[in-house]
Amino acid sequence: MTGNAPTFATLLLRVFLPFALAYFLSYIFRGVNAVIFPYLERDVGITAGDLGLLTSAFFLFFAGCQPVLGVMLDRYGPRKVQTVLLAMAGVGSALFGLSFSLGELVVARVLIGLGFAGGLMAAIKAITLWYPPERWGLITGFHMMAGGLGSMAATLPVQWSLSVMSWQGLFFWLAGLCLVTSAILFVVVPERGTPKAQGTLREQFRITGIVLTDGFFWRIQPLLTFQQVAFIASITLWIGPWLRDVGGIADRDVRADIQLYTTATMTLGFALSGVLSGAFRRVGVSDFASSTLVSVLFALVCAWLAFLPTFQPVLAWLLFGFLGAYPIQYMPLLARSFPAHYAGRVSTSSNLVVFTMIFALQWAIGKIVDLWPRTATGYATDGYTWSYGALFVLQVAGLLWLFVSQARPLAEARPVAAD
């Protein structure tokens, strides 16, 4: 594995699949609360605000450690970093299964989030090490598909598992899977024969500062952030309560079916995102333009859920899943906009912004929903209207800034078309 041209089978089995398996698990943990929330309401007595806090706690340390993670990935490589983090996720999952109060659940959820902080970023770093730049978008899309499969596993399969075990038992099993995956990464993934990041840690953190003050980074980041907030907050939690309270679907198995279909279209969207971006490029449409076009369509679906919730709600959620997957193509676009040795810090800087806002706004959605008195079956529909309406307005603001800003990429040697 020290040569410059490893085979396709080698890259698939020893690089792509181990990181994809870790990302698969990450999405199970992200989305599991959308299924188990009735059990948490029953056993722990949590409110909508508590539920938002608990679910968003996954993203608290996930976001906070991103600057350090970027330096560690560039300095020590994705294999070592991801191995350690997954072991932490296993410990957090076991603690979640042992928890009996909201505070204990939040602490365990924070540790799980820390453990999966490198789920996408470590993979993107590995992709930039092992694949040519023209393949980054395609491979990133396939990696995201693994996350989509994890989201699918967090719906009907999780609902079925709860018929044969408690939610606590489920988390013990997930803890074991985390530890097994950590061992696979350590044993199977090779080290790339490239020089380590040069300079002191202080100098490397200075590069993070360069990324976080770059104009082109901030041209894209607001829209990417608000789009990801709406997408991830819904897929990981609020789709379940929305279907119960707005969609009027009381049956848990039926809700799990719809969530499964939504995550299936999301998985398809992830798988096709790199393929479609390549097809757009072949007809003269840049990655920037195609990602922005799909972001506009996604924002309109958020408006649909906010203001026309009774009109074909299942179709709306299917489109939500498919369209919400595509704008992840902004990530390789951003990576190409900076020098190659910035790759780890570009992706983690973007994650820092995205997941900090997800933590804040997913909790805020719960607080907004709690402003109205509870109904006999759940939460008032007005809370969802205001929440999704706000998410739509934020995306419109991000789109306006994207069109107004004239910032250009830092890596002028590899300019990014921004038409």
Side-chain angles (χ1 to χ4, degrees):
M1 289 297 293
T2 58
N4 292 323
T7 64
F8 170 82
T10 296
L11 290 177
L12 175 67
L13 296 175
R14 298 192 62 189
V15 178
F16 177 81
L17 286 180
F19 286 101
L21 178 58
Y23 202 52
F24 172 85
L25 288 173
S26 173
Y27 265 74
I28 291 179
F29 280 98
R30 291 187 192 192
V32 68
N33 282 4
V35 174
I36 69 169
F37 75 93
Y39 301 92
L40 298 178
E41 290 174 335
R42 180 196 66 194
D43 296 342
V44 187
I46 61 177
T47 67
D50 295 335
L51 190 60
L53 172 62
L54 174 61
T55 306
S56 64
F58 179 96
F59 303 111
L60 177 60
F61 270 46
F62 193 112
C65 73
Q66 292 300 310
V68 177
L69 177 63
V71 172
M72 295 300 102
L73 286 173
D74 286 338
R75 191 174 184 88
Y76 300 111
R79 168 182 168 266
K80 294 176 182 176
V81 173
Q82 187 72 326
T83 295
V84 173
L85 290 177
L86 271 176
M88 292 184 182
V91 173
S93 182
L95 289 176
F96 197 96
L98 293 170
S99 298
F100 295 97
S101 69
L102 176 63
E104 292 172 345
L105 290 170
V106 167
V107 171
R109 184 81 173 167
V110 165
L111 190 56
I112 293 170
L114 176 61
F116 285 111
L120 176 59
M121 302 303 102
I124 287 179
K125 179 63 179 180
I127 289 168
T128 62
L129 286 175
W130 290 101
Y131 291 89
E134 63 271 16
R135 295 290 184 183
W136 290 356
L138 179 67
I139 304 303
T140 299
F142 286 137
H143 180 75
M144 295 297 296
M145 182 180 69
L149 293 172
S151 283
M152 293 174 65
T155 58
L156 196 59
V158 166
Q159 184 64 53
W160 173 84
S161 73
L162 294 174
S163 67
V164 297
M165 69 179 76
S166 67
W167 62 268
Q168 294 94 336
L170 171 65
F171 277 87
F172 295 144
W173 276 99
L174 290 174
L177 289 174
C178 289
L179 295 178
V180 169
T181 305
S182 176
I184 290 173
L185 278 161
F186 183 76
V187 173
V188 172
V189 176
E191 293 288 352
R192 183 62 161 165
T194 56
K196 293 182 180 180
Q198 301 299 310
T200 65
L201 285 176
R202 181 176 180 180
E203 290 169 342
Q204 292 180 51
F205 278 113
R206 183 180 60 83
I207 293 177
T208 300
I210 293 173
V211 173
L212 287 172
T213 55
D214 179 72
F216 188 73
F217 178 88
W218 283 109
R219 180 179 183 183
I220 291 177
Q221 195 60 47
L223 175 61
L224 176 61
T225 298
F226 296 139
Q227 187 267 335
Q228 288 292 293
V229 166
F231 185 56
I232 295 176
S234 297
I235 292 296
T236 60
L237 175 61
W238 293 110
I239 180 175
W242 192 99
L243 289 170
R244 181 190 66 183
D245 302 331
V246 182
I249 301 172
D251 189 282
R252 294 173 181 174
D253 290 335
V254 175
R255 290 201 303 267
D257 284 340
I258 296 173
Q259 289 171 241
L260 176 64
Y261 303 149
T262 300
T263 53
T265 62
M266 178 186 74
T267 304
L268 180 63
F270 282 142
L272 293 180
S273 63
V275 176
L276 291 174
S277 66
F280 277 124
R281 284 195 300 273
R282 286 192 290 273
V283 296
V285 179
S286 69
D287 292 347
F288 182 101
S290 62
S291 297
T292 303
L293 171 62
V294 178
S295 290
V296 170
L297 297 176
F298 178 78
L300 292 175
V301 173
C302 287
W304 182 350
L305 292 172
F307 307 121
L308 296 171
T310 59
F311 178 71
Q312 298 294 329
V314 175
L315 176 61
W317 280 110
L318 295 179
L319 290 173
F320 184 95
F322 183 80
L323 295 172
Y326 189 94
I328 195 63
Q329 290 299 319
Y330 278 128
M331 294 291 286
L333 185 154
L334 278 174
R336 294 195 303 270
S337 302
F338 290 87
H341 63 284
Y342 284 29
R345 278 154 288 190
V346 173
S347 56
T348 53
S349 295
S350 179
N351 254 13
L352 170 65
V353 179
V354 168
F355 289 104
T356 299
M357 292 301 294
I358 289 175
F359 167 73
L361 293 182
Q362 191 171 62
W363 187 8
I365 291 172
K367 288 297 186 182
I368 292 172
V369 171
D370 267 341
L371 291 176
W372 283 264
R374 289 201 61 163
T375 66
T377 57
Y379 307 113
T381 59
D382 287 343
Y384 296 97
T385 299
W386 280 90
S387 297
Y388 278 86
L391 291 173
F392 168 67
V393 170
L394 288 173
Q395 290 177 76
V396 170
L399 284 164
L400 291 175
W401 172 247
L402 188 77
F403 294 133
V404 168
S405 173
Q406 297 300 312
R408 306 293 296 178
L410 179 65
E412 292 298 335
R414 297 179 62 87
V416 180
D419 32 36

